[in-house]
Amino acid sequence: MERDVQFIGQSTAFLDAVERASRAAAVRRPVLVIGERGTGKELIAQRLHHLSPRWGEPLVTLNCAALPETLIEAELFGHEAGAFTGATRARAGRFEEADRGTLFLDELGNLSMAAQERLLRAIEYGEVVRIGSSRPLTVDVRIVAATNADLPRMAAEGAFRADLLDRLSFEVITLPPLRAREGDVPELADYYGRRMASELEWGRFPGFSAAAVEALEAHDWPGNVRELRNVVERAVYRWGDESCPIDEIVFDPFASAWDLRELPQGPQEGVPVLPCASEPAPAEAASASASLREAVEAHERALLLAALERLRWNQRKAAASLGLTYDQLRHCIRKHGLHQSRD
Protein backbone atom coordinates (compact mmCIF):
# COMPACT_ATOMS: atom_id res chain seq x y z
CA MET A 1 0.00 0.00 0.00
CA GLU A 2 0.98 3.62 -0.29
CA ARG A 3 3.06 5.34 2.37
CA ASP A 4 0.11 7.14 3.98
CA VAL A 5 -2.10 4.04 4.30
CA GLN A 6 0.35 1.75 6.08
CA PHE A 7 -0.72 0.10 9.33
CA ILE A 8 1.78 0.51 12.15
CA GLY A 9 1.32 -1.48 15.34
CA GLN A 10 1.86 -4.79 17.04
CA SER A 11 -0.76 -4.91 19.79
CA THR A 12 -3.19 -7.81 19.74
CA ALA A 13 -6.26 -5.54 19.76
CA PHE A 14 -5.02 -3.62 16.72
CA LEU A 15 -3.89 -6.68 14.75
CA ASP A 16 -7.23 -8.41 15.40
CA ALA A 17 -9.10 -5.46 13.86
CA VAL A 18 -6.81 -5.40 10.82
CA GLU A 19 -7.16 -9.15 10.37
CA ARG A 20 -10.95 -8.88 10.54
CA ALA A 21 -10.86 -6.21 7.83
CA SER A 22 -8.64 -8.39 5.65
CA ARG A 23 -11.06 -11.31 5.91
CA ALA A 24 -14.10 -9.13 5.17
CA ALA A 25 -12.47 -7.55 2.11
CA ALA A 26 -13.30 -10.43 -0.22
CA VAL A 27 -17.02 -10.39 0.65
CA ARG A 28 -19.42 -8.05 -1.16
CA ARG A 29 -21.50 -7.37 1.96
CA PRO A 30 -21.55 -3.97 3.77
CA VAL A 31 -19.06 -3.33 6.56
CA LEU A 32 -19.49 -0.92 9.46
CA VAL A 33 -16.30 0.51 10.99
CA ILE A 34 -16.60 1.88 14.54
CA GLY A 35 -13.97 3.89 16.38
CA GLU A 36 -13.01 7.13 18.06
CA ARG A 37 -11.67 10.05 16.03
CA GLY A 38 -8.17 9.47 14.78
CA THR A 39 -8.19 5.68 15.09
CA GLY A 40 -7.84 5.07 11.34
CA LYS A 41 -11.37 4.29 10.14
CA GLU A 42 -10.63 5.59 6.63
CA LEU A 43 -7.49 3.42 6.45
CA ILE A 44 -9.63 0.36 7.20
CA ALA A 45 -12.02 1.39 4.40
CA GLN A 46 -9.09 1.66 2.01
CA ARG A 47 -7.86 -1.76 3.07
CA LEU A 48 -11.30 -3.27 2.52
CA HIS A 49 -11.32 -1.85 -1.01
CA HIS A 50 -7.73 -2.57 -2.04
CA LEU A 51 -7.85 -6.20 -0.87
CA SER A 52 -11.22 -6.85 -2.53
CA PRO A 53 -11.94 -7.99 -6.10
CA ARG A 54 -12.99 -4.36 -6.70
CA TRP A 55 -9.47 -2.98 -6.13
CA GLY A 56 -9.20 -1.76 -9.74
CA GLU A 57 -12.50 0.14 -9.59
CA PRO A 58 -13.28 3.51 -7.92
CA LEU A 59 -13.16 4.06 -4.16
CA VAL A 60 -15.48 7.03 -3.61
CA THR A 61 -15.68 8.83 -0.24
CA LEU A 62 -18.43 11.01 1.19
CA ASN A 63 -18.13 12.68 4.59
CA CYS A 64 -21.75 12.89 5.73
CA ALA A 65 -20.89 15.53 8.35
CA ALA A 66 -19.29 17.91 5.83
CA LEU A 67 -22.50 18.74 3.95
CA PRO A 68 -25.77 20.34 5.04
CA GLU A 69 -28.72 17.97 5.29
CA THR A 70 -30.35 19.46 2.20
CA LEU A 71 -27.39 18.56 -0.03
CA ILE A 72 -26.48 15.07 1.20
CA GLU A 73 -29.18 13.33 -0.86
CA ALA A 74 -28.13 15.22 -4.00
CA GLU A 75 -24.50 14.23 -3.38
CA LEU A 76 -25.37 10.59 -2.82
CA PHE A 77 -27.93 10.04 -5.56
CA GLY A 78 -27.33 12.89 -8.02
CA HIS A 79 -29.92 15.20 -9.54
CA GLU A 80 -31.44 16.24 -12.84
CA ALA A 81 -31.26 19.76 -14.27
CA GLY A 82 -33.85 22.01 -12.67
CA ALA A 83 -34.52 19.61 -9.79
CA PHE A 84 -33.97 22.45 -7.30
CA THR A 85 -32.75 26.03 -7.25
CA GLY A 86 -29.21 26.18 -8.57
CA ALA A 87 -29.33 22.80 -10.35
CA THR A 88 -28.56 24.16 -13.80
CA ARG A 89 -27.41 20.82 -15.18
CA ALA A 90 -27.71 17.12 -14.39
CA ARG A 91 -25.11 15.61 -12.08
CA ALA A 92 -24.26 12.01 -11.19
CA GLY A 93 -24.22 11.13 -7.49
CA ARG A 94 -21.60 9.25 -5.51
CA PHE A 95 -23.42 5.96 -6.04
CA GLU A 96 -23.07 6.28 -9.79
CA GLU A 97 -19.43 7.36 -9.46
CA ALA A 98 -18.70 4.27 -7.33
CA ASP A 99 -20.42 1.83 -9.68
CA ARG A 100 -18.58 -1.56 -9.60
CA GLY A 101 -16.39 -0.14 -6.82
CA THR A 102 -16.70 0.88 -3.16
CA LEU A 103 -18.55 3.78 -1.54
CA PHE A 104 -17.16 4.88 1.82
CA LEU A 105 -19.64 6.83 3.94
CA ASP A 106 -17.80 8.56 6.78
CA GLU A 107 -19.65 9.99 9.81
CA LEU A 108 -22.70 7.89 8.93
CA GLY A 109 -24.57 8.97 12.07
CA ASN A 110 -25.11 12.42 10.53
CA LEU A 111 -27.37 11.16 7.72
CA SER A 112 -30.91 12.52 7.78
CA MET A 113 -33.83 10.09 8.10
CA ALA A 114 -34.85 10.78 4.49
CA ALA A 115 -31.34 10.00 3.24
CA GLN A 116 -31.28 6.86 5.38
CA GLU A 117 -34.48 5.63 3.73
CA ARG A 118 -33.08 6.17 0.23
CA LEU A 119 -29.79 4.58 1.25
CA LEU A 120 -31.59 1.49 2.51
CA ARG A 121 -33.39 1.09 -0.84
CA ALA A 122 -30.13 1.50 -2.74
CA ILE A 123 -28.50 -1.22 -0.67
CA GLU A 124 -31.50 -3.57 -0.83
CA TYR A 125 -32.26 -3.30 -4.54
CA GLY A 126 -29.10 -1.86 -6.10
CA GLU A 127 -31.10 1.04 -7.54
CA VAL A 128 -30.81 4.80 -7.14
CA VAL A 129 -33.06 7.57 -8.41
CA ARG A 130 -31.65 11.00 -9.09
CA ILE A 131 -33.50 13.88 -7.47
CA GLY A 132 -36.00 15.23 -10.00
CA SER A 133 -36.15 11.94 -11.92
CA SER A 134 -38.50 8.97 -11.83
CA ARG A 135 -36.21 6.59 -13.68
CA PRO A 136 -34.17 4.25 -11.44
CA LEU A 137 -30.53 3.53 -12.27
CA THR A 138 -28.94 0.18 -11.48
CA VAL A 139 -25.63 0.32 -9.63
CA ASP A 140 -23.25 -2.27 -8.21
CA VAL A 141 -21.69 -0.68 -5.15
CA ARG A 142 -20.09 -2.15 -2.02
CA ILE A 143 -20.87 0.00 1.04
CA VAL A 144 -18.36 0.67 3.81
CA ALA A 145 -19.58 3.05 6.52
CA ALA A 146 -17.81 4.53 9.52
CA THR A 147 -18.86 6.42 12.63
CA ASN A 148 -17.91 7.19 16.21
CA ALA A 149 -21.58 7.44 17.21
CA ASP A 150 -23.46 4.80 19.20
CA LEU A 151 -25.73 3.63 16.38
CA PRO A 152 -27.57 0.93 18.39
CA ARG A 153 -28.50 3.57 20.99
CA MET A 154 -29.55 5.98 18.24
CA ALA A 155 -31.70 3.26 16.66
CA ALA A 156 -33.35 2.53 20.03
CA GLU A 157 -34.11 6.24 20.41
CA GLY A 158 -35.50 6.54 16.89
CA ALA A 159 -32.66 8.76 15.62
CA PHE A 160 -31.34 6.09 13.21
CA ARG A 161 -33.26 3.54 11.17
CA ALA A 162 -33.02 0.11 12.80
CA ASP A 163 -33.58 -1.68 9.49
CA LEU A 164 -30.69 0.25 7.89
CA LEU A 165 -28.46 -0.59 10.84
CA ASP A 166 -29.34 -4.27 10.43
CA ARG A 167 -28.46 -4.09 6.73
CA LEU A 168 -25.14 -2.33 7.28
CA SER A 169 -23.91 -4.47 10.16
CA PHE A 170 -23.12 -7.69 8.28
CA GLU A 171 -19.62 -7.16 9.68
CA VAL A 172 -18.71 -4.62 12.36
CA ILE A 173 -15.05 -3.77 12.86
CA THR A 174 -14.33 -1.86 16.06
CA LEU A 175 -10.98 -0.11 16.13
CA PRO A 176 -9.29 0.10 19.54
CA PRO A 177 -8.27 3.53 20.87
CA LEU A 178 -4.54 4.16 21.05
CA ARG A 179 -4.57 4.03 24.87
CA ALA A 180 -5.67 0.38 24.60
CA ARG A 181 -2.95 -0.58 22.10
CA GLU A 182 -0.23 -1.80 24.43
CA GLY A 183 3.28 -1.22 23.09
CA ASP A 184 2.19 0.63 19.94
CA VAL A 185 2.93 4.21 21.07
CA PRO A 186 6.77 3.91 20.92
CA GLU A 187 6.56 2.12 17.57
CA LEU A 188 4.29 4.77 16.08
CA ALA A 189 6.40 7.57 17.55
CA ASP A 190 9.54 6.12 15.99
CA TYR A 191 7.82 5.73 12.61
CA TYR A 192 6.47 9.28 12.45
CA GLY A 193 9.64 10.67 13.98
CA ARG A 194 11.78 9.12 11.25
CA ARG A 195 9.42 10.39 8.56
CA MET A 196 9.62 13.93 9.92
CA ALA A 197 13.41 13.77 10.25
CA SER A 198 13.61 12.65 6.62
CA GLU A 199 11.32 15.50 5.57
CA LEU A 200 13.61 17.94 7.41
CA GLU A 201 16.59 16.32 5.62
CA TRP A 202 18.34 15.26 8.81
CA GLY A 203 21.32 12.99 8.38
CA ARG A 204 20.07 10.68 11.12
CA PHE A 205 17.15 10.32 13.49
CA PRO A 206 18.37 10.42 17.12
CA GLY A 207 15.23 8.88 18.62
CA PHE A 208 13.56 9.94 21.85
CA SER A 209 14.99 10.08 25.35
CA ALA A 210 13.71 7.67 27.99
CA ALA A 211 11.81 10.53 29.67
CA ALA A 212 10.17 11.51 26.39
CA VAL A 213 9.09 7.94 25.65
CA GLU A 214 7.72 7.66 29.18
CA ALA A 215 5.70 10.85 28.68
CA LEU A 216 4.35 9.60 25.34
CA GLU A 217 3.25 6.32 26.89
CA ALA A 218 1.61 8.06 29.86
CA HIS A 219 -0.54 10.35 27.69
CA ASP A 220 -4.22 9.43 27.21
CA TRP A 221 -4.30 10.31 23.47
CA PRO A 222 -7.92 11.47 23.10
CA GLY A 223 -7.14 12.20 19.42
CA ASN A 224 -5.51 8.77 18.99
CA VAL A 225 -3.04 8.18 16.13
CA ARG A 226 -3.81 11.51 14.43
CA GLU A 227 -2.92 13.36 17.64
CA LEU A 228 0.22 11.28 18.18
CA ARG A 229 1.44 12.05 14.68
CA ASN A 230 1.06 15.80 15.29
CA VAL A 231 2.78 15.62 18.67
CA VAL A 232 5.73 13.60 17.34
CA GLU A 233 6.23 15.68 14.20
CA ARG A 234 6.05 18.88 16.28
CA ALA A 235 8.63 17.50 18.72
CA VAL A 236 11.09 16.64 15.92
CA TYR A 237 10.55 19.97 14.17
CA ARG A 238 11.05 22.04 17.33
CA TRP A 239 14.02 20.03 18.59
CA GLY A 240 16.19 20.78 15.60
CA ASP A 241 19.23 18.88 16.90
CA GLU A 242 19.91 15.55 15.26
CA SER A 243 22.94 14.85 17.44
CA CYS A 244 21.07 13.98 20.65
CA PRO A 245 17.77 12.26 21.53
CA ILE A 246 14.63 14.38 21.51
CA ASP A 247 13.69 15.30 25.09
CA GLU A 248 10.94 17.91 24.66
CA ILE A 249 7.34 16.79 24.06
CA VAL A 250 4.59 19.37 23.56
CA PHE A 251 1.14 17.80 23.91
CA ASP A 252 -0.82 21.04 23.87
CA PRO A 253 0.55 23.59 21.36
CA PHE A 254 -1.68 26.27 22.91
CA ALA A 255 -0.22 25.87 26.40
CA SER A 256 2.12 28.61 27.54
CA ALA A 257 3.59 29.81 30.79
CA TRP A 258 2.55 33.29 29.61
CA ASP A 259 -1.02 32.46 28.62
CA LEU A 260 -2.86 35.79 28.87
CA ARG A 261 -6.15 33.98 29.43
CA GLU A 262 -4.92 32.86 32.85
CA LEU A 263 -3.80 36.31 34.04
CA PRO A 264 -6.19 38.41 36.14
CA GLN A 265 -7.51 41.45 34.27
CA GLY A 266 -7.94 43.95 37.11
CA PRO A 267 -10.14 43.55 40.21
CA GLN A 268 -12.10 40.29 40.29
CA GLU A 269 -15.80 40.14 41.08
CA GLY A 270 -16.42 39.38 44.73
CA VAL A 271 -12.82 40.15 45.76
CA PRO A 272 -12.57 43.30 47.89
CA VAL A 273 -9.95 45.88 46.96
CA LEU A 274 -8.14 46.75 50.17
CA PRO A 275 -6.64 50.17 50.76
CA CYS A 276 -2.86 50.30 50.45
CA ALA A 277 -0.73 50.71 53.55
CA SER A 278 1.82 53.44 53.69
CA GLU A 279 4.63 52.75 51.27
CA PRO A 280 8.03 51.72 52.70
CA ALA A 281 11.15 53.60 51.90
CA PRO A 282 12.83 52.67 48.56
CA ALA A 283 15.69 50.73 50.21
CA GLU A 284 13.27 48.78 52.42
CA ALA A 285 11.00 48.02 49.42
CA ALA A 286 13.91 46.68 47.34
CA SER A 287 15.09 44.48 50.20
CA ALA A 288 11.60 43.13 50.88
CA SER A 289 11.04 42.46 47.18
CA ALA A 290 14.31 40.54 46.84
CA SER A 291 13.64 38.49 49.99
CA LEU A 292 10.12 37.62 48.85
CA ARG A 293 11.30 36.59 45.40
CA GLU A 294 14.03 34.37 46.85
CA ALA A 295 11.59 32.79 49.29
CA VAL A 296 9.03 32.09 46.55
CA GLU A 297 11.65 30.55 44.27
CA ALA A 298 13.06 28.41 47.09
CA HIS A 299 9.57 27.19 47.98
CA GLU A 300 8.77 26.47 44.32
CA ARG A 301 12.02 24.52 43.90
CA ALA A 302 11.32 22.48 47.02
CA LEU A 303 7.79 21.61 45.84
CA LEU A 304 9.07 20.54 42.42
CA LEU A 305 11.88 18.44 43.84
CA ALA A 306 9.57 16.75 46.35
CA ALA A 307 7.04 15.84 43.67
CA LEU A 308 9.70 14.51 41.29
CA GLU A 309 11.37 12.37 43.96
CA ARG A 310 8.04 11.09 45.26
CA LEU A 311 7.06 9.98 41.74
CA ARG A 312 10.53 8.64 40.87
CA TRP A 313 11.14 11.43 38.35
CA ASN A 314 8.15 10.55 36.23
CA GLN A 315 7.76 14.03 34.82
CA ARG A 316 4.33 13.43 33.33
CA LYS A 317 2.88 12.30 36.65
CA ALA A 318 4.69 15.06 38.54
CA ALA A 319 3.22 17.69 36.24
CA ALA A 320 -0.29 16.31 36.82
CA SER A 321 0.17 16.21 40.60
CA LEU A 322 1.28 19.85 40.61
CA GLY A 323 -1.46 21.04 38.27
CA LEU A 324 1.02 21.93 35.52
CA THR A 325 1.31 20.99 31.87
CA TYR A 326 4.28 18.89 30.82
CA ASP A 327 5.84 21.93 29.11
CA GLN A 328 5.43 24.10 32.20
CA LEU A 329 7.07 21.45 34.36
CA ARG A 330 10.02 21.15 31.96
CA HIS A 331 10.40 24.95 32.03
CA CYS A 332 10.49 24.92 35.83
CA ILE A 333 13.02 22.07 35.89
CA ARG A 334 15.37 24.03 33.67
CA LYS A 335 14.74 27.24 35.61
CA HIS A 336 15.78 25.68 38.92
CA GLY A 337 18.45 23.35 37.47
CA LEU A 338 16.73 20.32 38.96
CA HIS A 339 17.91 18.04 36.15
CA GLN A 340 21.34 18.32 37.73
CA SER A 341 20.04 17.15 41.10
CA ARG A 342 19.03 13.76 39.77
CA ASP A 343 22.61 12.52 39.42
Side-chain angles (χ1 to χ4, degrees):
M1 288 190 180
E2 296 178 3
R3 178 179 178 181
D4 289 333
V5 296
Q6 291 181 349
F7 287 89
I8 308 298
Q10 59 183 1
S11 65
T12 301
F14 173 71
L15 294 178
D16 284 348
V18 174
E19 174 61 22
R20 179 170 291 186
S22 300
R23 293 182 60 190
V27 185
R28 186 185 179 277
R29 301 293 189 277
V31 176
L32 190 56
V33 185
I34 308 293
E36 297 179 4
R37 62 185 175 93
T39 50
K41 297 187 289 295
E42 187 167 357
L43 296 184
I44 290 293
Q46 293 178 23
R47 186 176 189 85
L48 287 164
H49 176 73
H50 292 309
L51 295 183
S52 76
R54 300 169 179 260
W55 64 270
E57 301 297 337
L59 169 61
V60 178
T61 298
L62 175 65
N63 187 331
C64 301
L67 293 170
E69 182 177 321
T70 54
L71 292 181
I72 287 180
E73 289 187 64
E75 282 292 323
L76 275 174
F77 308 109
H79 60 79
E80 297 292 346
F84 50 84
T85 303
T88 57
R89 58 177 179 170
R91 183 181 182 280
R94 301 297 174 95
F95 265 95
E96 292 179 65
E97 293 174 0
D99 191 24
R100 299 190 306 277
T102 303
L103 176 60
F104 174 50
L105 301 176
D106 200 7
E107 303 294 345
L108 179 73
N110 292 86
L111 273 184
S112 67
M113 295 299 286
Q116 290 178 35
E117 183 176 357
R118 292 171 65 98
L119 176 61
L120 177 62
R121 180 173 181 83
I123 296 174
E124 287 281 1
Y125 302 106
E127 292 182 349
V128 296
V129 179
R130 291 183 180 181
I131 296 175
S133 173
S134 59
R135 181 173 61 88
L137 301 171
T138 301
V139 292
D140 175 16
V141 175
R142 199 262 183 95
I143 299 292
V144 177
T147 185
N148 57 9
D150 186 349
L151 293 185
R153 179 185 60 79
M154 291 177 63
E157 295 175 353
F160 196 87
R161 291 185 64 105
D163 48 1
L164 176 59
L165 181 60
D166 291 340
R167 194 68 180 85
L168 290 173
S169 57
F170 169 79
E171 176 64 288
V172 178
I173 300 172
T174 302
L175 296 179
L178 186 54
R179 59 184 175 276
R181 294 171 52 177
E182 185 177 357
D184 282 356
V185 169
E187 189 170 349
L188 284 161
D190 183 75
Y191 174 75
Y192 288 121
R194 291 181 182 277
R195 282 185 52 171
M196 190 62 184
S198 175
E199 183 177 332
L200 295 173
E201 298 183 349
W202 286 13
R204 58 183 291 270
F205 176 59
F208 295 92
S209 69
V213 172
E214 187 176 12
L216 290 168
E217 290 186 305
H219 191 58
D220 286 338
W221 301 113
N224 294 289
V225 178
R226 185 182 296 118
E227 180 189 3
L228 179 140
R229 176 176 177 175
N230 283 338
V231 168
V232 168
E233 291 181 346
R234 183 188 306 121
V236 176
Y237 154 74
R238 290 188 176 182
W239 188 247
D241 183 1
E242 60 186 88
S243 63
C244 57
I246 298 166
D247 194 45
E248 296 283 347
I249 304 295
V250 179
F251 292 101
D252 181 5
F254 298 98
S256 170
W258 303 275
D259 191 343
L260 297 180
R261 295 170 299 179
E262 299 179 0
L263 298 178
Q265 304 295 324
Q268 304 297 303
E269 184 178 353
V271 179
V273 180
L274 302 177
C276 296
S278 58
E279 296 184 359
E284 294 177 354
S287 175
S289 176
S291 299
L292 177 62
R293 183 169 59 252
E294 291 172 358
V296 169
E297 290 186 355
H299 184 60
E300 180 181 285
R301 187 180 192 279
L303 288 175
L304 288 168
L305 186 58
L308 287 166
E309 290 180 344
R310 175 167 51 86
L311 295 169
R312 299 183 179 181
W313 287 84
N314 184 317
Q315 296 178 15
R316 183 68 181 169
K317 292 181 179 178
S321 71
L322 293 170
L324 302 174
T325 67
Y326 179 76
D327 282 344
Q328 289 170 337
L329 178 73
R330 295 288 299 170
H331 172 75
C332 291
I333 288 175
R334 290 194 299 271
K335 172 184 173 183
H336 294 290
L338 290 179
H339 59 284
Q340 300 173 357
S341 303
R342 190 176 182 181
D343 299 328

